[in-house]
Amino acid sequence: DAKTTQPPSMDCAEGRAANLPCNHSTISGNEYVYWYRQIHSQGPQYIIHGLKNNETNEMASLIITEDRKSSTLILPHATLRDTAVYYCIVSLVTQGGSEKLVFGKGTKLTVNP
Amino acid sequence: SQTIHQWPATLVQPVGSPLSLECTVEGTSNPNLYWYRQAAGRGLQLLFYSVGIGQISSEVPQNLSASRPQDRQFILSSKKLLLSDSGFYLCAWTGLRNTEAFFGQGTRLTVV
């Protein structure tokens, strides 16, 4: 089962910031938070990841709470092309050392003109 | 640079027929490999993952199997397809722990 909880859908006006929340209350100390998005009929695309510090790249910013039990993905100026399903994932490591990526249901973000 | 190839892009198969989907990765060695399925309107379900040649972990009981005959090759198979096997199948790989995952373009399978 996925270790994250996200709202099923959100709307955002074009040009405004989109703030997508994620709860991961059972995250362990060495697990990272990843964000991916999936545009219809395509494979998921990596956006950003972080451990405990806030992160920023050319696509988005990731804000992780101090207790690491939740995070927020911020798209600073949403465009129509940002309409997609956004997945928040906590990385899992099995006994074999692999990273087992378990996706939840994600948040369907709709950017409106 | 690393790339991932997945084929075919679309496939229509009759119930009871066999299935073989292939995924190959270039530009890296010892990747962790994954097969996911996405039913219409649903999220991504992890089917199999592999940390090395011949090492396959199955996540859910199902009509499918996976094999990894070479380091950068991952194959999804079925001996007899069911209608419920229809969906969008995605292959992915990761490298060192806590790096991003790269996904193929997917195969849309319709079982009729």
Side-chain angles (χ1 to χ4, degrees):
Chain A
D1 292 337
K3 295 177 64 174
T4 62
T5 305
Q6 299 176 254
S9 63
M10 293 184 65
D11 285 88
C12 177
E14 187 179 17
R16 304 298 293 270
N19 298 282
L20 294 95
C22 179
N23 288 321
H24 31 79
S25 58
T26 61
I27 192 171
S28 65
N30 59 351
E31 289 179 316
Y32 283 64
V33 179
Y34 286 81
W35 282 84
Y36 289 80
R37 72 179 182 184
Q38 185 179 25
I39 298 172
H40 182 62
S41 296
Q42 298 182 21
Q45 175 192 23
Y46 166 84
I47 301 173
I48 199 167
H49 75 282
L51 183 62
K52 54 184 178 181
N53 297 320
N54 298 337
E55 302 288 339
T56 297
N57 62 20
E58 65 278 4
M59 291 182 66
S61 295
L62 174 61
I63 308 299
I64 302 174
T65 58
E66 189 170 348
D67 63 8
R68 303 213 321 125
K69 293 185 177 181
S70 66
S71 61
T72 301
L73 178 75
I74 301 173
L75 307 179
H77 305 286
T79 69
L80 298 179
R81 288 179 294 179
D82 292 322
T83 292
V85 177
Y86 287 77
Y87 296 98
C88 169
I89 301 165
V90 170
S91 66
L92 299 172
V93 179
T94 68
Q95 291 181 349
S98 68
E99 183 173 342
K100 188 170 69 172
L101 301 176
V102 179
F103 286 74
K105 296 182 179 180
T107 296
K108 169 65 175 175
L109 174 68
T110 302
V111 180
N112 301 304
Chain B
S1 62
Q2 304 94 346
T3 56
I4 180 168
H5 300 283
Q6 189 180 343
W7 65 92
T10 59
L11 190 60
V12 179
Q13 292 283 104
V15 169
S17 64
L19 173 74
S20 180
L21 301 180
E22 186 165 345
C23 172
T24 60
V25 179
E26 296 179 356
T28 187
S29 58
N30 301 315
N32 297 325
L33 297 171
Y34 307 82
W35 278 111
Y36 291 88
R37 176 173 61 199
Q38 188 171 37
R42 307 287 295 275
L44 287 162
Q45 180 185 33
L46 179 62
L47 301 176
F48 301 97
Y49 69 98
S50 170
V51 301
I53 296 174
Q55 300 179 61
I56 310 294
S57 295
S58 175
E59 287 299 293
V60 293
Q62 59 203 312
N63 184 43
L64 303 168
S65 62
S67 62
R68 184 169 177 175
Q70 300 181 42
D71 181 46
R72 289 171 288 179
Q73 184 185 30
F74 206 21
I75 298 172
L76 184 69
S77 304
S78 173
K79 293 182 178 179
K80 291 185 178 181
L81 284 169
L82 306 172
L83 289 175
S84 58
D85 291 324
S86 294
F88 188 46
Y89 288 83
L90 285 157
C91 179
W93 73 273
T94 61
L96 296 174
R97 184 176 180 273
N98 293 328
T99 62
E100 64 186 276
F102 297 91
F103 284 81
Q105 289 303 300
T107 295
R108 189 161 302 281
L109 171 66
T110 304
V111 182
V112 297

